[in-house]
Amino acid sequence: MNTEKEQTGTHSKLPEGAKFRLGKSSIIGNVAFSADGTRLAVAGDIGTWIYDIQSGEEVSLLAGHTEYVWSVAYSPDGDTVATGSYEEIWLWDSSTGLPTATLSEHRDYVRALAYSPDGSTLASGGADNIGILWDVASEEPKATLKGHAGSIRSLAYSPDGSTIATASSDELVILWQAATGQSKASLKGHTHVVNSVAFSPDGGTIVTGSSDGTVRLWDAFTSKRKTTLVDFKFYVWGVTYSPDGETIAIGGRDGAVHLVDAETGDVQKVLKGHIGSVRSVAYSPDGSIIASGSEDHSVLLWQC
């Protein structure tokens, strides 16, 4: 899997299985695909790069934040890109690359962003320990998620849009009613920072990845832990389900992307090519590509 093959231009020396190597940033934050799968947004130190998935070429750079960008999310209709930096969220027109609004309520870095499935709400999570639900139409906050005692590192909507899960440095994942912002359950069991959270496509299971080295599965309806799917010996930074729900992609401190069976935890494949921790992983909507963002200042696109 480590076999190198010579390419030209910026995509030289690609590891086997990789389609492109992207990245012009000394800091790589989150990565996010557009809903139609044609674009990839990469959060970084001087802005957010938008790449064309077919060519691997840079389409635009969303620059304007005065601090580095930690988080990025596409709206479901693809018209807007949201980026989170220090105390601010900027909204950008995806076709022009121009900013359209600034949302300012957080008092520290905005570490996580996610749109509701219907696109009416943008949820943000910050290093100020709170989450905020923003009304997309009015661009005003409509609820504040208070309950964590540590930085919110990741958040996710359930597929039906009824629940939001937030993962925190306080070792907890809290589930919230998306309509009201009221907390309804806490997932307890991790013994270190919970860096990533995601729902299964059918909405029945929640996967979490932690600096305690474990990837755990939880029943989304009872809030009970189903199993410790994987127990690594390194920090787990990113977890996500494949669109068909059969595979979980895991990025961690070892610099590899581990693809494991979502039911058994058996390792299906290990994608090796980064020389730094993999901080973010994302599947394209059709499940054909995995994007991995790393501390080695690069993003690799892998063919599934």
Side-chain angles (χ1 to χ4, degrees), residues 200 205 217 227 229 241-242 245-248 259-266 268:
S200 61
T205 304
L217 299 183
T227 184
L229 188 69
Y241 271 92
S242 61
E246 296 181 359
T247 303
I248 294 173
L259 305 182
V260 303
D261 186 284
E263 291 295 328
T264 66
D266 294 336
Q268 299 172 336

Side-chain angles (χ1 to χ4, degrees), residues 67-83:
E67 298 281 348
Y68 51 81
V69 181
W70 269 110
S71 51
V72 62
Y74 268 95
S75 61
D77 62 10
D79 291 343
T80 303
V81 180
T83 58

Side-chain angles (χ1 to χ4, degrees), residues 124-139:
S124 60
D128 53 5
N129 306 350
I130 66 170
I132 299 175
L133 304 185
W134 303 85
D135 183 275
V136 169
S138 68
E139 298 174 351

